[in-house]
Amino acid sequence: MREGIWLSVIHIHGLYRLEGEVEIQGSKNAVLPVMAASVLHKGTVRISNVPEIQDVFCMMEILKLLGCVCVFRDHVLEICTEGVRPVRIPDSCCKSMRSSIMLLGPLLGRFREARVSHPGGCSIGKRPVDLHLLALEALGARTHVEGESITAQALGLTGNRVELAFPSVGATENLLMAAAAAEGTTRVEGAAMEPEIVVLCRFLKALGAGVRGEGTGVVEITGRKESRGLVEFSVPGDRIVAGTYLGAVLGAGGDVVLRGAPVSQMARVQTLVRAAGGEIRTLPGEAGLCIRQRQRARPFSLSTGPYPRFPTDLQSVMLAVASVADGRSQIRETVFEERFATAKELQKMGAHIIIEDNTAYVTGRDCLEGCLVKAGDLRGGAALVVAGLAARGETVISGYPYIRRGYEDICRDLAGLGARISLEGQETNCEEENGSF
Ligand code: EPZ
């Protein structure tokens, strides 16, 4: 028999309340653009509170291929960018995650040329890059797409007024990184307002760019000549990981402290938690959040959208919570056209979910039934964990590589709160998606 390969699968015995305190890891979606932006700097960047997740390791591989030296220890990542060259980044690296597209802006900014290929990323929709290319062209770049490969070149980059047709997070980030190396000032209208944009702008200011309006729909950025030496930086806690664990408490019940949760970035999520019956309060000095859920979650209605609306990245988690809420909930997805894939796996666990157009209508049950389910994307996998904690019996979740792209150690975090959850090896003959796309 062909030698089996070992897969890591998550085992959960559900219906245990969660109690205690958990430290929230650094933000994946904040650190990835900052790592890419380090290419703009000629020296060393030292970033603290970096999560040990697969996407960070993939971005490190890309930076090393470009000539960076990366040292990552105890959540501190040091990137020396003296030796960077605009070499073509191999398809395999670009396909490993969506953030590989983030190298377009910084490479264009530093070398006036960049060669990447179409990025990977969770299969939650088409995820084109047209807005990225249009934005860079507005600064004077010429872009060319042939098959999977994307190239961008410019004789020079000049500040301009750029209006984004949709507040794309990635396109806003690519544009800001290129504009930080452009002559003059760029005014971005229709900019994404996510907290990760504010973090990136704080980093670009540390490199010498002038920035105003970050976090609003209109951002003005004035390019800087170049920056050298050592730049020290830190990223905040991950609001989506914190929101995932809030969902876990809503579904399984409990009394939990989320230390390091970025409170000021989670207003809409806190409102939703209260609507679902959670008692939530802020730790002194905004050091984190406490949540207590004594009874079954109440049904709720939500619509995802660009920040400050409810984050699309928590839609699947809340679908799992709605599946055990005491009544009928409604969840509308307005950002990604294929982000309800997890509903099929939740239905295997007994969830009553009907999807019509971009809305899920959910009739909650007092608990789900544990069974074998499969993660198909990062946040969908986290939602299955939340569902397993609220299910009778054992839930076995395959597709762990998707989850480890964004969660440092979801089993360690939840087991520390009393969940009966573990990561186990299992021999099998099926090819495991290695979490890349
Ligand atoms: C970022 O993806 C995040 N990823 C996503 O998190 C998050 O869901 C998303 O922003 C929205 O908040 C990272 O930051 C690494 P978009 P991004 O460009 O930049 C369309 C996670 O789980 N669009 O704001 O790819 C696109 O198809 C991940 O951590 C275009 O049409 O998101 C989508 O419908 C998943 N053309 C919408 O805009 C473009 O050129 C939002 O995409 C770009 C995007």
Side-chain angles (χ1 to χ4, degrees):
M1 165 136 108
R2 188 164 73 85
E3 187 60 30
I5 53 172
W6 281 90
L7 302 181
S8 33
V9 289
I10 292 178
H11 287 253
I12 300 173
H13 290 275
L15 304 186
Y16 288 86
R17 285 173 60 80
L18 303 176
E19 312 271 349
E21 178 167 319
V22 63
E23 184 74 32
I24 298 300
Q25 69 185 56
S27 167
K28 164 177 98 75
N29 292 348
V31 75
L32 291 171
V34 167
M35 288 174 72
S38 67
V39 162
L40 288 166
H41 179 64
K42 289 181 186 170
T44 298
V45 174
R46 185 178 297 142
I47 312 168
S48 50
N49 199 30
V50 177
E52 293 174 3
I53 54 175
Q54 193 60 29
D55 275 13
V56 164
F57 300 132
C58 289
M59 185 60 88
M60 282 170 65
E61 279 315 301
I62 291 175
L63 293 175
K64 286 176 188 169
L65 286 168
L66 291 170
C68 293
V69 175
C70 298
V71 177
F72 187 24
R73 193 176 299 120
D74 299 335
H75 297 98
V76 176
L77 172 62
E78 204 161 274
I79 306 168
C80 174
T81 65
E82 296 285 358
V84 173
R85 291 290 168 270
V87 298
R88 177 178 165 65
I89 303 169
D91 287 10
S92 55
C93 284
C94 292
K95 288 293 171 214
S96 63
M97 60 179 178
R98 175 77 180 176
S99 298
S100 56
I101 195 72
M102 291 296 151
L103 273 304
L104 263 185
L107 286 171
L108 202 54
R110 181 162 170 182
F111 299 105
R112 304 294 187 260
E113 63 171 291
R115 288 172 290 163
V116 298
S117 44
H118 248 273
C122 290
S123 51
I124 50 180
K126 285 192 291 294
R127 307 190 82 178
V129 293
D130 55 324
L131 299 178
H132 295 245
L133 303 184
L134 286 169
L136 297 174
E137 286 162 6
L139 301 186
R142 275 180 298 108
T143 67
H144 180 63
V145 179
E146 191 167 339
E148 285 302 292
S149 90
I150 301 171
T151 51
Q153 283 154 334
L155 293 175
L157 292 176
T158 310
N160 197 351
R161 176 184 167 279
V162 185
E163 185 170 357
L164 289 175
F166 180 87
S168 155
V169 173
T172 303
E173 290 167 341
N174 248 329
L175 173 56
L176 289 170
M177 291 188 278
E183 279 299 315
T185 299
T186 295
R187 178 182 169 87
V188 186
E189 295 175 4
M193 301 190 269
E194 272 71 4
E196 292 76 31
I197 303 293
V198 176
V199 173
L200 176 63
C201 288
R202 179 161 55 86
F203 181 71
L204 295 175
K205 285 180 184 176
L207 299 189
V211 188
R212 291 188 319 162
E214 63 270 31
T216 73
V218 179
V219 182
E220 287 195 348
I221 178 165
T222 304
R224 90 275 187 257
K225 284 283 164 279
E226 67 171 36
S227 51
R228 289 188 171 279
L230 172 63
V231 172
E232 305 232 40
F233 195 73
S234 180
V235 293
D238 191 310
R239 62 191 174 102
I240 304 302
V241 170
T244 302
Y245 296 165
L246 289 174
V249 177
L250 287 176
D255 197 341
V256 167
V257 173
L258 304 177
R259 192 159 295 282
V263 177
S264 63
Q265 301 176 11
M266 300 178 70
R268 188 64 194 79
V269 174
Q270 293 182 61
T271 302
L272 192 280
V273 166
R274 290 191 181 94
E279 299 163 42
I280 191 164
R281 63 182 177 80
T282 301
L283 286 177
E286 295 215 336
L289 286 170
C290 302
I291 175 172
R292 176 176 297 169
Q293 182 75 8
R294 295 180 214 255
Q295 71 289 331
R296 210 170 137 196
R298 287 202 298 259
F300 51 85
S301 186
L302 76 84
S303 175
T304 69
Y307 196 89
R309 290 175 57 191
F310 190 85
T312 173
D313 290 351
L314 287 175
Q315 179 256 91
S316 307
V317 164
M318 294 317 294
L319 198 59
V321 174
S323 302
V324 292
D326 186 9
R328 295 167 61 84
S329 300
Q330 197 170 307
I331 296 176
R332 188 161 160 262
E333 170 61 51
T334 71
V335 179
F336 288 106
E337 64 276 21
E338 288 163 27
R339 201 163 202 176
F340 279 128
T342 306
K344 276 195 304 295
E345 299 301 304
L346 294 171
Q347 286 162 339
K348 286 182 194 170
M349 299 175 73
H352 296 301
I353 302 172
I354 295 168
I355 310 275
E356 276 175 15
D357 299 329
N358 65 347
T359 303
Y361 300 90
V362 190
T363 306
R365 312 178 27 163
D366 60 355
C367 75
L368 296 172
E369 303 300 331
C371 69
L372 177 61
V373 289
K374 186 175 176 58
D377 65 77
L378 163 57
R379 306 302 177 185
L384 294 175
V385 171
V386 169
L389 296 172
R392 196 187 350 251
E394 183 180 34
T395 300
V396 179
I397 305 171
S398 63
Y400 181 64
Y402 287 104
I403 299 173
R404 78 179 169 208
R405 284 190 50 215
Y407 294 81
E408 197 169 85
D409 190 337
I410 198 166
C411 294
R412 170 203 67 197
D413 287 350
L414 293 169
L417 297 174
R420 300 299 191 273
I421 181 171
S422 60
L423 185 62
E424 295 168 28
Q426 186 164 323
E427 190 163 9
T428 176
N429 282 321
C430 75
E431 282 304 310
E432 173 188 31
E433 289 86 357
N434 60 11
S436 62
F437 304 85

